[in-house]
Coordinates of all heavy atoms in Angstrom, one line a residue:
L931 N -3.1 -27.6 -210.7 CA -2.2 -28.4 -209.8 C -0.8 -28.0 -210.0 O -0.3 -28.0 -211.1 CB -2.4 -29.9 -210.1 CG -3.7 -30.6 -209.7 CD1 -4.7 -30.3 -210.8 CD2 -3.5 -32.1 -209.5
T932 N -0.2 -27.6 -208.9 CA 1.3 -27.2 -208.9 C 1.9 -27.9 -207.7 O 1.3 -28.4 -206.9 CB 1.5 -25.7 -208.8 OG1 1.2 -25.2 -207.5 CG2 0.6 -24.9 -209.8
D933 N 3.3 -27.7 -207.7 CA 4.0 -28.1 -206.5 C 3.9 -27.0 -205.5 O 3.1 -26.1 -205.7 CB 5.4 -28.6 -206.8 CG 6.2 -27.4 -207.4 OD1 5.8 -26.3 -207.4 OD2 7.3 -27.7 -207.9
G934 N 4.7 -27.0 -204.5 CA 4.6 -26.0 -203.4 C 5.3 -24.7 -203.7 O 5.4 -23.9 -202.8
W935 N 5.8 -24.5 -204.9 CA 6.5 -23.3 -205.2 C 5.6 -22.0 -205.0 O 4.5 -22.0 -205.5 CB 7.1 -23.3 -206.6 CG 7.8 -22.1 -207.0 CD1 7.5 -21.3 -208.0 CD2 9.0 -21.6 -206.5 NE1 8.4 -20.3 -208.1 CE2 9.4 -20.5 -207.2 CE3 9.9 -22.1 -205.5 CZ2 10.5 -19.7 -206.9 CZ3 11.0 -21.3 -205.2 CH2 11.4 -20.2 -205.9
G936 N 6.1 -21.0 -204.3 CA 5.4 -19.8 -204.0 C 5.0 -19.0 -205.2 O 4.1 -18.1 -205.0
G937 N 5.6 -19.2 -206.3 CA 5.3 -18.4 -207.5 C 3.9 -18.5 -208.0 O 3.4 -17.7 -208.7
Y938 N 3.2 -19.6 -207.5 CA 1.8 -19.8 -208.0 C 0.8 -19.4 -206.9 O -0.4 -19.6 -207.1 CB 1.6 -21.3 -208.3 CG 2.5 -21.8 -209.4 CD1 3.6 -22.6 -209.1 CD2 2.2 -21.5 -210.7 CE1 4.5 -23.0 -210.2 CE2 3.0 -22.0 -211.8 CZ 4.1 -22.7 -211.5 OH 4.9 -23.2 -212.5
N939 N 1.2 -18.9 -205.8 CA 0.3 -18.7 -204.6 C -0.8 -17.7 -204.9 O -1.9 -17.8 -204.2 CB 1.1 -18.1 -203.4 CG 2.0 -19.2 -202.8 OD1 1.8 -20.4 -203.1 ND2 2.9 -18.8 -201.9
T940 N -0.7 -16.8 -205.9 CA -1.8 -15.8 -206.1 C -2.8 -16.3 -207.1 O -3.7 -15.6 -207.4 CB -1.2 -14.5 -206.6 OG1 -0.5 -14.7 -207.8 CG2 -0.2 -13.9 -205.6
L941 N -2.7 -17.6 -207.6 CA -3.7 -18.1 -208.5 C -5.2 -17.9 -208.1 O -6.0 -17.6 -208.9 CB -3.4 -19.5 -208.9 CG -2.2 -19.7 -209.8 CD1 -1.9 -21.2 -210.1 CD2 -2.4 -19.0 -211.2
P942 N -5.5 -18.2 -206.8 CA -6.9 -18.1 -206.4 C -7.4 -16.7 -206.6 O -8.6 -16.5 -206.8 CB -6.8 -18.4 -204.9 CG -5.7 -19.4 -204.8 CD -4.7 -18.8 -205.7
E943 N -6.6 -15.6 -206.6 CA -7.0 -14.3 -206.8 C -7.5 -14.1 -208.3 O -8.2 -13.1 -208.6 CB -5.9 -13.3 -206.5 CG -5.4 -13.3 -205.1 CD -4.2 -12.4 -204.9 OE1 -3.9 -11.5 -205.8 OE2 -3.5 -12.6 -203.9
Y944 N -7.1 -15.0 -209.1 CA -7.6 -14.9 -210.6 C -8.6 -16.0 -210.9 O -8.8 -16.3 -212.1 CB -6.3 -15.1 -211.5 CG -5.3 -14.0 -211.3 CD1 -4.3 -14.1 -210.3 CD2 -5.4 -12.8 -212.0 CE1 -3.4 -13.1 -210.1 CE2 -4.4 -11.8 -211.8 CZ -3.5 -11.9 -210.9 OH -2.6 -10.9 -210.6
N945 N -9.3 -16.4 -209.9 CA -10.5 -17.3 -210.1 C -10.0 -18.7 -210.5 O -10.7 -19.3 -211.4 CB -11.5 -16.7 -211.0 CG -12.1 -15.5 -210.5 OD1 -12.5 -15.4 -209.3 ND2 -12.3 -14.5 -211.3
Y946 N -8.9 -19.2 -210.0 CA -8.5 -20.6 -210.2 C -8.6 -21.4 -208.9 O -8.4 -20.8 -207.8 CB -7.1 -20.6 -210.7 CG -6.9 -20.1 -212.1 CD1 -6.4 -18.8 -212.3 CD2 -7.3 -20.8 -213.3 CE1 -6.3 -18.2 -213.5 CE2 -7.2 -20.2 -214.5 CZ -6.7 -18.9 -214.7 OH -6.6 -18.4 -215.9
I947 N -8.9 -22.6 -209.1 CA -8.9 -23.6 -207.9 C -7.5 -24.1 -207.8 O -7.0 -24.9 -208.7 CB -9.9 -24.7 -208.1 CG1 -11.3 -24.2 -208.3 CG2 -9.8 -25.7 -206.9 CD1 -12.3 -25.2 -208.7
H948 N -6.7 -23.6 -206.9 CA -5.3 -24.0 -206.8 C -5.1 -25.1 -205.8 O -5.3 -25.0 -204.6 CB -4.5 -22.7 -206.3 CG -3.0 -23.0 -206.3 ND1 -2.1 -22.2 -205.6 CD2 -2.2 -23.9 -207.0 CE1 -0.9 -22.6 -205.8 NE2 -0.9 -23.7 -206.7
S949 N -4.6 -26.3 -206.4 CA -4.3 -27.4 -205.6 C -2.8 -27.6 -205.5 O -2.2 -27.8 -206.6 CB -5.0 -28.7 -206.2 OG -6.4 -28.5 -206.2
K950 N -2.2 -27.6 -204.3 CA -0.8 -27.8 -204.2 C -0.4 -29.2 -203.9 O -1.1 -29.9 -203.0 CB -0.2 -26.9 -203.1 CG -0.3 -25.4 -203.4 CD 0.4 -24.6 -202.3 CE 0.4 -23.2 -202.5 NZ 1.1 -22.4 -201.4
I951 N 0.6 -29.7 -204.5 CA 1.1 -31.0 -204.2 C 2.5 -30.8 -203.6 O 3.5 -30.5 -204.3 CB 1.2 -31.9 -205.5 CG1 -0.2 -32.1 -206.1 CG2 1.8 -33.3 -205.2 CD1 -0.2 -32.8 -207.4
I952 N 2.6 -31.0 -202.3 CA 3.9 -30.8 -201.6 C 4.8 -32.1 -201.8 O 4.6 -33.1 -201.2 CB 3.7 -30.5 -200.2 CG1 2.7 -29.4 -200.0 CG2 5.1 -30.1 -199.5 CD1 3.1 -28.1 -200.7
L953 N 5.8 -32.0 -202.7 CA 6.6 -33.1 -203.1 C 7.4 -33.6 -201.9 O 7.6 -34.8 -201.7 CB 7.4 -32.8 -204.3 CG 6.7 -32.3 -205.5 CD1 7.7 -32.0 -206.6 CD2 5.7 -33.4 -206.0
S954 N 8.0 -32.7 -201.1 CA 8.9 -33.0 -200.1 C 8.3 -33.8 -199.0 O 8.9 -34.6 -198.3 CB 9.6 -31.8 -199.5 OG 8.6 -30.9 -199.0
S955 N 7.0 -33.6 -198.7 CA 6.3 -34.3 -197.6 C 5.7 -35.6 -198.1 O 5.0 -36.3 -197.3 CB 5.2 -33.4 -197.0 OG 4.3 -33.1 -198.0
S956 N 5.8 -36.0 -199.4 CA 5.2 -37.2 -199.9 C 6.3 -38.3 -200.0 O 7.5 -38.0 -200.3 CB 4.5 -36.9 -201.2 OG 4.1 -38.1 -201.8
G957 N 5.9 -39.5 -199.9 CA 6.8 -40.6 -200.1 C 6.9 -41.0 -201.6 O 7.8 -41.8 -201.9
D958 N 6.1 -40.4 -202.5 CA 6.1 -40.7 -203.9 C 7.1 -39.7 -204.6 O 7.2 -38.6 -204.3 CB 4.7 -40.6 -204.5 CG 3.8 -41.7 -203.9 OD1 4.3 -42.8 -203.7 OD2 2.6 -41.4 -203.7
P959 N 7.7 -40.2 -205.7 CA 8.5 -39.3 -206.5 C 7.7 -38.3 -207.3 O 6.5 -38.5 -207.5 CB 9.3 -40.3 -207.5 CG 8.4 -41.5 -207.5 CD 7.7 -41.6 -206.2
A960 N 8.4 -37.3 -207.8 CA 7.6 -36.2 -208.5 C 6.9 -36.7 -209.7 O 5.8 -36.2 -210.0 CB 8.6 -35.1 -208.9
H961 N 7.5 -37.6 -210.5 CA 6.9 -38.1 -211.7 C 5.6 -38.9 -211.5 O 4.8 -39.1 -212.4 CB 7.8 -38.9 -212.6 CG 8.2 -40.2 -212.0 ND1 9.2 -40.4 -211.2 CD2 7.6 -41.4 -212.2 CE1 9.3 -41.7 -210.9 NE2 8.3 -42.3 -211.5
V962 N 5.4 -39.4 -210.2 CA 4.2 -40.1 -209.9 C 3.1 -39.1 -209.4 O 2.0 -39.2 -209.8 CB 4.5 -41.1 -208.7 CG1 3.2 -41.7 -208.2 CG2 5.4 -42.2 -209.3
L963 N 3.5 -38.1 -208.6 CA 2.6 -37.1 -208.1 C 2.1 -36.2 -209.2 O 0.9 -35.7 -209.2 CB 3.2 -36.3 -207.0 CG 3.5 -37.2 -205.7 CD1 4.3 -36.3 -204.7 CD2 2.2 -37.7 -205.1
M964 N 3.0 -35.8 -210.1 CA 2.6 -34.9 -211.2 C 3.1 -35.5 -212.5 O 4.0 -35.1 -213.2 CB 3.2 -33.5 -211.0 CG 2.8 -32.8 -209.7 SD 3.4 -31.2 -209.6 CE 2.5 -30.3 -210.9
P965 N 2.4 -36.6 -213.0 CA 2.9 -37.3 -214.2 C 2.8 -36.5 -215.5 O 3.6 -36.7 -216.4 CB 1.9 -38.5 -214.2 CG 0.7 -38.0 -213.5 CD 1.1 -37.1 -212.4
G966 N 1.8 -35.6 -215.6 CA 1.6 -35.0 -216.9 C 2.8 -34.1 -217.3 O 3.4 -34.2 -218.3
V967 N 3.2 -33.2 -216.4 CA 4.2 -32.2 -216.7 C 5.6 -32.9 -216.9 O 6.4 -32.6 -217.7 CB 4.3 -31.1 -215.7 CG1 3.1 -30.1 -215.8 CG2 4.4 -31.6 -214.3
H968 N 5.8 -34.0 -216.0 CA 7.1 -34.7 -216.1 C 7.1 -35.5 -217.4 O 8.2 -35.6 -218.0 CB 7.3 -35.6 -214.9 CG 7.6 -34.8 -213.7 ND1 6.7 -34.2 -212.9 CD2 8.9 -34.5 -213.2 CE1 7.3 -33.6 -211.9 NE2 8.6 -33.7 -212.0
R969 N 6.0 -36.1 -217.9 CA 6.0 -36.8 -219.1 C 6.3 -35.8 -220.3 O 7.1 -36.1 -221.2 CB 4.7 -37.5 -219.3 CG 4.5 -38.1 -220.7 CD 5.4 -39.3 -220.9 NE 5.1 -40.4 -219.9 CZ 4.1 -41.3 -220.1 NH1 3.4 -41.2 -221.2 NH2 3.9 -42.2 -219.1
I970 N 5.6 -34.7 -220.3 CA 5.8 -33.7 -221.4 C 7.3 -33.2 -221.4 O 7.9 -33.1 -222.4 CB 4.9 -32.5 -221.2 CG1 3.4 -32.9 -221.3 CG2 5.2 -31.4 -222.2 CD1 3.1 -33.6 -222.6

């Protein structure tokens, strides 16, 4: 799971299931949508 940054776009080519969370289009803050990395 990543945000919409393009640096991760090629992950599917390496056999990963890439799920994007577009923060700008969501009404929730980043720490709610991606709690793990923000907590760390």
